[in-house]
Amino acid sequence: MLPSPTIAKAVTFLTLGSMWAIACLHAGRTDTDVPFHVAVDRRETRQRLFFVRSVWVALAAAFLSLVLQDLLPLVSFASVAQRELLLGVLRSAGVWGIVVTAFVWAQTAHLVTGRLPGSPEMRSSSDRK
């Protein structure tokens, strides 16, 4: 018996999200075997590389998901449940790619300006009236 498409979406999204979160934590750690200023410099370099790579991987996942969803009607399946399961996994991978890209863009803005997009500090004085 196949799981429902909703469960497949959730498992795919949680698996990809968990792996990305673990990699993000790894990129954000500081080395303890070097002086602090060197460890911070290495951490920032690692984070920048991680964010650049993760945007490209996420955009590739979203694009590949869309292409495969487009090609899905050309494939014959034994049952509709199998087709729906694969479609759910593909949709979840695409959404994961879009979410990661949006998070990295927000995180990059935070690293550059020190504030998150949409925060009250980012709004101009004319918007507060």
Side-chain angles (χ1 to χ4, degrees):
M1 183 174 152
L2 294 172
S4 73
T6 305
I7 292 174
K9 286 179 192 177
V11 167
T12 303
F13 195 75
L14 288 174
T15 302
L16 290 173
S18 299
M19 290 186 325
W20 189 80
I22 290 170
C24 191
L25 287 174
H26 177 71
R29 68 172 169 69
T30 54
D31 299 330
T32 57
D33 58 339
V34 294
F36 183 71
H37 68 283
V38 176
V40 168
D41 187 46
R42 286 183 184 174
R43 178 190 67 200
E44 289 175 358
T45 303
R46 220 177 13 252
Q47 281 181 329
R48 283 188 209 108
L49 287 173
F50 174 74
F51 286 151
V52 167
R53 290 176 185 149
S54 62
V55 164
W56 284 110
V57 168
L59 288 174
F63 178 74
L64 190 62
S65 168
L66 288 174
V67 168
L68 291 176
Q69 285 180 46
D70 219 17
L71 296 176
L72 202 59
L74 303 175
V75 179
S76 60
F77 291 96
S79 68
V80 177
Q82 285 180 339
R83 182 185 178 286
E84 292 297 320
L85 182 70
L86 185 59
L87 186 61
V89 169
L90 290 174
R91 285 179 180 163
S92 179
V95 168
W96 173 81
I98 293 169
V99 167
V100 166
T101 303
F103 177 78
V104 169
W105 283 342
Q107 189 67 21
T108 303
H110 174 66
L111 288 175
V112 170
T113 63
R115 292 168 274 184
L116 288 172
S119 64
E121 299 88 25
M122 295 277 299
R123 296 185 189 132
S124 66
S125 60
S126 64
D127 291 343
R128 293 183 187 161
K129 293 180 182 178

